Amino acid sequence: MVVIAVALLVATPVILASPYRRAWLLAAAGAMILFSLSIAALSVRLHRLHAEAVRVVKYVDAFHDKYDMYPDDLSGYAFTDAALEPYFSYDGHWKGKEFALYYHPVQHSAVRHAYTPENGYWLKEQE
C-alpha cells in the first residue's frame, strides 16, 4: 500500500503536466479498480479458508479423540472445498505434542494464518 501511495504521489505531477492526461487518468482508475477487485477476491478466499480451517480442526480433534494422537497429514480429510487444498499446510507433530494448521489466501506468502490447540488462531511469519 505504501508503494502504491508513493507511486501516486510521484506520478500525479507527471500525469497533470502530460498532454495525454485523460489517458493517464483512465489508466490509473483502471489499475485502482483491478487492485480493488483483487483485494476483494483475496478477502473472499480468506473467508472460505477460515471456514474450511474450522472443519479441518474439527476433523483433527475427532481423530485425536479416537486414536489419542494427531494425524501425520491431512490425507484422510476430504476437503469440502477441494479448490482450497493447495492453500493449506499441516504439521501433525508440532512441538512434538500438538498439531499446527497453516493457511493463507496467497499460496507462497511469508505470513500465514495458523491454528494450534495451545494458541488458537494467530498469524505466523515464516522463518
Side-chain angles (χ1 to χ4, degrees):
M1 297 298 278
V2 173
V3 172
I4 293 170
V6 170
L8 286 173
L9 285 173
V10 170
T12 300
V14 174
I15 290 171
L16 294 176
S18 172
Y20 304 105
R21 188 174 330 157
R22 182 174 288 165
W24 280 106
L25 291 174
L26 287 174
M32 285 187 277
I33 289 169
L34 289 175
F35 179 74
S36 297
L37 290 174
S38 70
I39 294 298
L42 288 174
S43 177
V44 168
R45 185 182 300 152
L46 181 60
H47 179 72
R48 289 174 42 219
L49 282 167
H50 183 71
E52 190 73 36
V54 170
R55 291 187 286 269
V56 171
V57 168
K58 286 180 182 177
Y59 161 77
V60 172
D61 283 342
F63 188 97
H64 183 265
D65 291 344
K66 186 173 183 179
Y67 299 108
D68 198 32
M69 62 181 264
Y70 293 112
D72 292 332
D73 54 35
L74 295 178
S75 60
Y77 175 72
F79 281 85
T80 304
D81 190 344
L84 297 178
E85 187 173 356
Y87 299 96
F88 281 97
S89 62
Y90 171 81
D91 180 1
H93 302 288
W94 190 70
K95 292 189 177 179
K97 61 182 183 205
E98 289 190 316
F99 72 93
L101 178 68
Y102 304 103
Y103 59 97
H104 194 274
V106 178
Q107 284 181 340
H108 305 290
S109 175
V111 177
R112 303 179 291 179
H113 297 264
Y115 175 83
T116 63
E118 184 178 308
N119 297 321
Y121 287 98
W122 46 287
L123 290 174
K124 177 181 191 244
E125 190 168 341
Q126 283 181 330
E127 294 131 12

